[in-house]
Amino acid sequence: MQKKIEVVKTLLDALPFIQKFAGQTIVIKYGGAAQVKEELKEKFARDVVLMYMVGIKPVIVHGGGPKITELLNALKIPTEFVEGQRVTTKEAMRIAEMVLSGDVNKEIVSMLNDHGAKAIGISGKDARFIQARAKDRSRWGYTGVIEEIHADVVENLMAENFIPVIAPIAASKDPGEPGFNINADLAASRVAVALKASKIVFMTDTPGVLDAEGRLIGTLGSEKIALLKREGVISGGMVPKVDACLEAINGGVGKAHIVDGRIEHSILLEIFTSEGIGTQIVH
Amino acid sequence: MQKKIEVVKTLLDALPFIQKFAGQTIVIKYGGAAQVKEELKEKFARDVVLMYMVGIKPVIVHGGGPKITELLNALKIPTEFVEGQRVTTKEAMRIAEMVLSGDVNKEIVSMLNDHGAKAIGISGKDARFIQARAKDRSRWGYTGVIEEIHADVVENLMAENFIPVIAPIAASKDPGEPGFNINADLAASRVAVALKASKIVFMTDTPGVLDAEGRLIGTLGSEKIALLKREGVISGGMVPKVDACLEAINGGVGKAHIVDGRIEHSILLEIFTSEGIGTQIVH
Amino acid sequence: MQKKIEVVKTLLDALPFIQKFAGQTIVIKYGGAAQVKEELKEKFARDVVLMYMVGIKPVIVHGGGPKITELLNALKIPTEFVEGQRVTTKEAMRIAEMVLSGDVNKEIVSMLNDHGAKAIGISGKDARFIQARAKDRSRWGYTGVIEEIHADVVENLMAENFIPVIAPIAASKDPGEPGFNINADLAASRVAVALKASKIVFMTDTPGVLDAEGRLIGTLGSEKIALLKREGVISGGMVPKVDACLEAINGGVGKAHIVDGRIEHSILLEIFTSEGIGTQIVH
Amino acid sequence: MQKKIEVVKTLLDALPFIQKFAGQTIVIKYGGAAQVKEELKEKFARDVVLMYMVGIKPVIVHGGGPKITELLNALKIPTEFVEGQRVTTKEAMRIAEMVLSGDVNKEIVSMLNDHGAKAIGISGKDARFIQARAKDRSRWGYTGVIEEIHADVVENLMAENFIPVIAPIAASKDPGEPGFNINADLAASRVAVALKASKIVFMTDTPGVLDAEGRLIGTLGSEKIALLKREGVISGGMVPKVDACLEAINGGVGKAHIVDGRIEHSILLEIFTSEGIGTQIVH
Amino acid sequence: MQKKIEVVKTLLDALPFIQKFAGQTIVIKYGGAAQVKEELKEKFARDVVLMYMVGIKPVIVHGGGPKITELLNALKIPTEFVEGQRVTTKEAMRIAEMVLSGDVNKEIVSMLNDHGAKAIGISGKDARFIQARAKDRSRWGYTGVIEEIHADVVENLMAENFIPVIAPIAASKDPGEPGFNINADLAASRVAVALKASKIVFMTDTPGVLDAEGRLIGTLGSEKIALLKREGVISGGMVPKVDACLEAINGGVGKAHIVDGRIEHSILLEIFTSEGIGTQIVH
Amino acid sequence: MQKKIEVVKTLLDALPFIQKFAGQTIVIKYGGAAQVKEELKEKFARDVVLMYMVGIKPVIVHGGGPKITELLNALKIPTEFVEGQRVTTKEAMRIAEMVLSGDVNKEIVSMLNDHGAKAIGISGKDARFIQARAKDRSRWGYTGVIEEIHADVVENLMAENFIPVIAPIAASKDPGEPGFNINADLAASRVAVALKASKIVFMTDTPGVLDAEGRLIGTLGSEKIALLKREGVISGGMVPKVDACLEAINGGVGKAHIVDGRIEHSILLEIFTSEGIGTQIVH
């Protein structure tokens, strides 16, 4: 009996968090290990469905780089890199879209539905939700930068109680064009801003932002971020993550979080426990 | 960290139960120790608010006998009993209503609101929600039996997202009459039937229905109940509880539960854990 | 036949008034003789129901001082007064609430329902509609001043076609507190302001505001009121009534009326006949 | 003061009738003296607006025979009669429609609007609301019998809070045809049936149905009507009125009334006083 | 087969125009030859219904001068003219209204309904949609100028999917007055402004505005219009048409068009083909 | 000018068809040449958008067999056939889904959006819209037969004005399974039945059903079909098409059409011209 009471007490501990976030939109950038390891995938799905059932409105934006590379290799399509960024040829664009919209996206949708959600997969091409232009056609081909987001498309879906799962592919303004491959982190930030989300959570393969001694920093503001960048403490792959966070915060999103997707239930831990587990970026 | 993960795991264990009951109406007959001990009251309130936050629609029906007796005594108003039932004189009726609608009801409403709900207290007199007639005016005075329930009154309130808290007082068909004091258990059953509730839970000061050896019976059907009554195993105060359960079940309510209100969080334990803790009466 | 035609002509005389007030909210502070004498009570109920049937949205706020005193006396609970105001001890607070929410409020609700309305009784505790703080805890105990009114609670009820009947009890910001006893006149004014009412009517035991010669003043503005107060013409119990009127007017309510509740149908006379019968306070 | 109280008492006497008919549709066949004498017209308008303001949904169907004859004469268009019924030539049809839709209808609409209603004039041609066919083209030309009524057209208007004022002109099934002149009494009955009205009132220039001694009969059923017809007590112009009443009753309308339009406020007297003034035909 | 494909291609050529105007309000001033010749009438009706079916919201305002004169003559009612404008006596007013509301209006309504629309005929008297005052009672009698338009009346009808067909008759502010005859062109402009229409089309018996050489001018702005008026190029009956266009444009209507109603399908040609056929007046 | 009038006349010829189908759901099975040739694709898109703009609710179901084979070959994944049906291994299933949901589906969505529609691509996995089970796992692997269709998912999308474009992939009842590849023709039929469509159109690479002499049969009923099958006149690839038509018709769809997708604008020709161009299957 004592065991069962403990269970219920835990439930009740979450009550203030449930009340706090009920009715709010939370954008989750899903990626890294959490998207690869079977066990973590399963847990991610249950986490999102729980959020959905207690009244939070989750929106998922995912990436899928490794699987794209895998299929390109299988098809022996060579990939060139310019300034560290993949050149998206027309052929590669088609492969990227198939992998993102046809494989990764539907896998996430299915996982969520298997746990009782009502998820729907879209890309920026659906109802021209996200429109982009080439970053620099001559150098990176069909790699795009977002020009416009039509939030009403996703809002229509949320009004019908769907969980939107978004692949980072954008429509082109010019008819007949193959569209653009866009950066999933930035897509997530822009979507969060367009939806006036109260939170954006980036799932990464790091514990969060670390200080010079390698200790996790719980909370960060933009000035501190500027300093840490200048000092080289925030560097490498963490820079674009932190920039995506700032883009969201500056666009009006309440808080941005970088959490460790390798830890089970990291999103719920961040949202439903008082201390959180990663780094939160605030205004 | 492990501790926090345990917390989240517990939350997720409740997911199937949340999904199962989301959008459903659950009527709770609140009474006994749970209504008296400060600690249990506090826990009851949190339990109900949690149910409300995860999408369940709770409706509370309460009693209040001991407090009525207390005020009658303080006022030195003598109380007579006929066949074990209190005779409700006009004076006693007024006292009963003041205690039920003006004290007990508002206390429950306040507790729920203090935990973040939007609770509203009504009695059967509000919008003539419950109409009764005298059981036998010459013997028991203003003790009533329910004639009609206008479910739309409570449905109107639920449509505006209120948690209705109902005092067991009924309106009289005859204008100017003081109304009737009605049995809270039967009121709860009738309300559950009128609202097409999926569940009714009776909070009592017993572990549930016990067999001849004093062991808790987990599940009971109407045939078994009839047998246990004939054998005298179900007797005394348990008989009307069980009858109220049967009234609900026969009127179309999915399940009726008798739980031990003396145990912390007994309603959540019954609803959100697979085994439950008391006795469930099924069709 | 001529008699019947007269009847209909009278009905038609009210047509311009019906048209003028259709769809508007009118707050009525119910009290004094109109709340005590059987015949006046009956008439008040019919008046309110008529207003409701012709499209006006009445909201009732009531007091109940004499009945509180009565029960306190019956229970031999001594009452102290400081600067002419009752000290509300915790015990007195419980008694006041029982009388107001459990007796007076439900009596009014029942009277209205008996005449075909769909009335519902609430206090400021329901859904924390009115929140107050102590005026001065050390001096007057649980006598409160209003801090906040959540008009949406009453608007929700009006949207479902209920006539709200409001007891002057407020919730406390601090959980577990017994709440506060608030002044019914001021509660009515504040509710009228929060609901953007077009009119507030105070039912009193006086013909209205009288001039130095004891003649009824038909219409009064704030400057004239200030003058009459300085001259001592408005004095005693009329001062708080007039102040409550000014609070309403200054908060945006169209007009405030002080009418003689001892006269049959005084509200209807004030609203549905061109001259009115009491004093109206205008901006 | 006493005078004013009488006024209000009268208002309250109407309360049960207001409650009884609130939200119900009442079709009024307007015609005869009430449509001709200035004073009666004015009173009719106020009566209808009062009904509208207290929540009744009035629908007016009018005739206009005398004015048609007048214009035909002014234009020296000869009118032939076959079996006592006017032969509607194409030319006469055009004149009839101009008088009914362009003069009589708009006059009624204006009168109602002048008293604060929101009236709209239509004929059976608008949105093909009423469709008719020739009774016998070779004998009576464009005199029609109703084939079909599209109640949704009038319901659409009532949904937008209009009082529909209907001219007895019908559309033809064949495009390009001038439409049909239809009997206003029968049009009123059929409209009442199609709208599921609770009452239909025929305003005539008689006190109602009289018995063999010339005394007014208060209430009549279909059997009694059959008898009185056989006996010749109901004869002449009263026969079609009574038949229109029966058509309405048999189609599901609650009650049909024949009232004396020459008496001021006859509709209100019939609806808002207990005895009524004319003859009511019941099932 | 080739023939059928041509048909479909034509349909598709209209697609951009359909997309451009879907959901927009277009006011059409219907008059001249298009209102007289059987074949043109028929075509006008089909044109309007097509617009309606593809999502445009047409509103028709019509005149009817010639038919009024005809009936006045038949009745031998003399007509006087002052400064070229007809003096509307009370008698003439009644005739004008009968012709406009009872004949012309219902004929247009019937034509539209015969082609599958859901048209309803109203005048400014219905629900007091248009209110006017005398231009100069002593000189022109009941010829009115518009004071106020209650757009909500027409919007109510459009919300229920009706095509409103409006006769140029206005209500008077003074009860009992016969109303006013108003200029149909100006009525159309004012209605277009009140409805925030995106377009107004005037159907005339000219090809449009011609330049000094008699060639059609495709597009005109207000400055050019002022110049052409000064030069006398725009003169005679074209002046009030152009002024009505300017009134609409200055009131916020997107574009005004003067088209040749003698040409079959002139409205559709103007709206659904890229070049248009008449003169468009732009801001 | 004459040319332009012809254009408009053509538009008007479509009016009866527009009126006939406005508001109705038409399911289109898109496939064959129409899905491959650039020019035909472009025309198909314009056709669908025109339907959408004139009030028809199109739903697209597509196949994609050739592109699947192409990618399987490029990846050197061998494909086995059993009884003429492809065996869908787990690997092949993943490839099929990527091609269908990630390439073909998004290409159609983009084409429609490029022409001004608001199209959204889904598969049966989205919100578990279509649930299937293995036809025979041991023989054909992940080739599925439809068990259940949740029409509300597509209805939700249509309520928000989306054109749904559906890939023939179904969810599995068992969590974690890769889903099923389903026959697009049957999926279209089942979707049409579930949506209570008034029409289903199959775009094929044949003129329609041919008789023994090779002449096109305009209309066919189920008895005639049974006969032609027995006689071998309907054979080969036409059998499953005709069966899919029968499945739709028997499920309540109004009509099924087999049209030649190689002909430009074949769907519009079938819907908007009186004769149609292919074979229609009727009840």
Side-chain angles (χ1 to χ4, degrees), chain B residues 74-75 94 97-98 101-103 106 109-110 113-114 118-122 125-128 156-157 160 175-176, chain C residues 74-75 94 97-98 101-103 106 109-110 113-114 118-122 125-128 156-157 160 175-176:
Chain B
L75 289 164
R94 200 183 141 228
E97 186 170 13
M98 279 201 293
S101 282
D103 184 12
K106 295 303 177 195
V109 162
S110 296
N113 290 337
D114 283 348
K118 185 185 163 195
I120 191 167
I122 58 171
K125 283 191 174 177
D126 288 292
R128 304 186 71 78
N156 286 169
L157 297 175
E160 302 286 342
Chain C
L75 288 164
R94 199 183 142 230
E97 186 170 13
M98 280 201 294
S101 282
D103 185 10
K106 296 303 178 196
V109 162
S110 295
N113 290 338
D114 283 349
K118 185 185 165 194
I120 190 167
I122 59 170
K125 283 191 175 177
D126 288 293
R128 302 185 73 77
N156 286 168
L157 296 174
E160 301 287 342

Side-chain angles (χ1 to χ4, degrees), chain F residues 12-257:
Chain F
L12 289 163
D13 285 346
L15 187 52
F17 300 97
I18 291 175
Q19 291 177 317
K20 191 170 166 194
F21 294 112
Q24 300 194 359
T25 298
I26 296 186
V27 171
I28 299 162
K29 164 62 207 315
Y30 180 49
Q35 200 180 347
V36 176
K37 292 203 190 151
E38 275 314 311
E39 210 182 287
L40 291 174
K41 282 155 70 168
E42 173 80 14
K43 279 174 174 128
F44 165 77
R46 291 181 67 199
D47 289 6
V48 172
V49 175
L50 182 71
M51 291 165 64
Y52 174 72
M53 288 310 300
V54 300
I56 295 171
K57 296 176 176 174
V59 174
I60 315 302
V61 180
H62 64 83
K67 281 199 162 177
I68 298 171
T69 305
E70 204 181 283
L71 188 58
L72 286 172
N73 291 345
L75 288 164
K76 307 210 186 322
I77 299 173
T79 312
E80 205 186 336
F81 282 79
V82 169
E83 290 174 28
Q85 277 208 296
R86 193 201 304 262
V87 178
T88 311
T89 60
K90 203 160 192 167
E91 201 175 16
M93 176 62 208
R94 199 183 143 229
I95 298 304
E97 186 171 12
M98 279 202 293
V99 169
L100 291 171
S101 281
D103 184 11
V104 177
N105 185 274
K106 294 303 177 196
E107 186 189 23
I108 301 170
V109 162
S110 295
M111 282 181 344
L112 294 174
N113 290 338
D114 284 348
H115 286 88
K118 185 184 163 194
I120 191 168
I122 58 170
S123 83
K125 283 191 173 175
D126 288 293
R128 303 187 71 80
F129 164 43
I130 305 172
Q131 195 174 291
R133 57 175 168 72
K135 194 173 173 166
D136 182 338
R137 180 75 68 92
S138 61
R139 305 181 79 184
W140 294 289
Y142 292 95
T143 295
V145 291
I146 296 176
E147 277 188 331
E148 237 180 292
I149 294 202
H150 298 109
D152 58 322
V153 174
V154 175
E155 285 162 359
N156 285 170
L157 297 175
M158 291 164 87
E160 300 287 342
N161 233 18
F162 289 104
I163 299 181
V165 178
I166 302 168
I169 296 289
S172 164
K173 203 161 67 181
D174 305 314
E177 282 293 309
F180 293 101
N181 189 10
I182 53 177
N183 179 281
D185 288 339
L186 284 173
S189 287
R190 293 290 300 272
V191 165
V193 168
L195 294 176
K196 298 177 179 54
S198 58
K199 239 183 217 310
I200 183 168
V201 181
F202 290 89
M203 300 183 73
T204 65
D205 289 351
T206 69
V209 179
L210 305 181
D211 66 14
E213 276 75 42
R215 286 168 314 200
L216 179 66
I217 306 175
T219 303
L220 267 177
S222 54
E223 282 179 35
K224 189 70 192 292
I225 287 171
L227 179 68
L228 291 176
K229 276 181 176 177
R230 281 197 304 275
E231 293 174 347
V233 178
I234 294 178
S235 65
M238 187 51 79
V239 174
K241 292 279 170 204
V242 163
D243 286 351
C245 287
L246 288 175
E247 171 124 15
I249 296 299
N250 293 333
V253 176
K255 273 187 190 175
H257 300 258

Side-chain angles (χ1 to χ4, degrees), chain C residues 18 20 47 82:
Chain C
I18 292 175
K20 191 169 164 194
D47 289 5
V82 168

Side-chain angles (χ1 to χ4, degrees), chain B:
Chain B
M1 179 59 66
Q2 198 49 38
K3 172 81 201 324
K4 288 198 270 185
I5 290 180
E6 286 309 312
V7 169
V8 161
K9 275 187 177 154
T10 311
L11 263 174
L12 289 163
D13 285 346
L15 187 52
F17 300 97
I18 292 176
Q19 291 177 319
K20 190 170 167 194
F21 294 111
Q24 300 194 1
T25 298
I26 296 186
V27 172
I28 299 163
K29 164 62 207 316
Y30 180 50
Q35 200 180 347
V36 176
K37 293 202 188 153
E38 275 315 310
E39 208 182 289
L40 292 173
K41 280 156 72 169
E42 174 81 13
K43 279 174 174 129
F44 165 77
R46 290 180 69 197
D47 288 6
V48 172
V49 175
L50 182 71
M51 289 165 67
Y52 174 71
M53 289 310 300
V54 301
I56 295 172
K57 297 176 175 172
V59 174
I60 315 301
V61 179
H62 64 84
K67 281 200 163 178
I68 299 171
T69 304
E70 203 180 285
L71 188 58
L72 287 171
N73 291 344
L75 289 164
K76 306 208 188 321
I77 299 173
T79 312
E80 206 186 336
F81 282 79
V82 169
E83 291 173 27
Q85 277 206 297
R86 193 200 304 262
V87 178
T88 311
T89 60
K90 203 160 194 168
E91 201 175 15
M93 175 64 209
R94 200 183 141 228
I95 298 306
E97 186 170 13
M98 279 201 293
V99 169
L100 291 171
S101 282
D103 184 12
V104 177
N105 185 273
K106 295 303 177 195
E107 187 191 22
I108 301 170
V109 162
S110 296
M111 282 181 345
L112 294 175
N113 290 337
D114 283 348
H115 286 89
K118 185 185 163 195
I120 191 167
I122 58 171
S123 84
K125 283 191 174 177
D126 288 292
R128 304 186 71 78
F129 163 44
I130 303 173
Q131 196 174 289
R133 56 176 168 71
K135 193 171 173 169
D136 182 337
R137 180 75 68 94
S138 61
R139 307 181 80 180
W140 295 287
Y142 293 94
T143 296
V145 290
I146 296 176
E147 277 188 330
E148 239 182 290
I149 293 203
H150 298 109
D152 57 322
V153 174
V154 175
E155 284 162 358
N156 286 169
L157 297 175
M158 291 165 86
E160 302 286 342
N161 233 18
F162 289 105
I163 299 181
V165 178
I166 302 169
I169 296 289
S172 164
K173 203 160 69 181
D174 305 312
E177 282 292 309
F180 293 101
N181 189 11
I182 52 177
N183 179 281
D185 288 339
L186 284 173
S189 286
R190 292 290 300 272
V191 165
V193 168
L195 293 176
K196 298 177 176 55
S198 58
K199 235 183 218 314
I200 183 167
V201 181
F202 290 89
M203 299 183 75
T204 66
D205 289 351
T206 67
V209 180
L210 305 181
D211 65 14
E213 277 76 42
R215 288 168 312 199
L216 179 67
I217 306 176
T219 303
L220 267 176
S222 53
E223 281 179 37
K224 188 69 190 292
I225 287 171
L227 179 68
L228 292 175
K229 276 181 178 177
R230 279 197 306 274
E231 293 175 346
V233 177
I234 294 178
S235 64
M238 187 51 80
V239 173
K241 292 280 169 203
V242 163
D243 286 350
C245 286
L246 286 175
E247 172 126 14
I249 296 298
N250 293 333
V253 175
K255 272 186 191 174
H257 300 257
I258 296 173
V259 302
D260 192 340
R262 297 167 304 182
I263 296 176
E264 298 178 350
H265 307 303
S266 48
I267 342 169
L268 286 195
L269 287 169
E270 187 68 28
I271 293 175
F272 283 145
T273 65
S274 47
E275 317 104 88
I277 60 154
T279 299
Q280 61 177 5
I281 317 278
V282 296
H283 210 74

Side-chain angles (χ1 to χ4, degrees), chain C residues 229-245:
Chain C
K229 275 183 178 175
R230 279 196 306 274
E231 294 175 345
V233 178
I234 294 178
S235 64
M238 187 52 77
V239 174
K241 291 281 169 201
V242 165
D243 286 349
C245 286

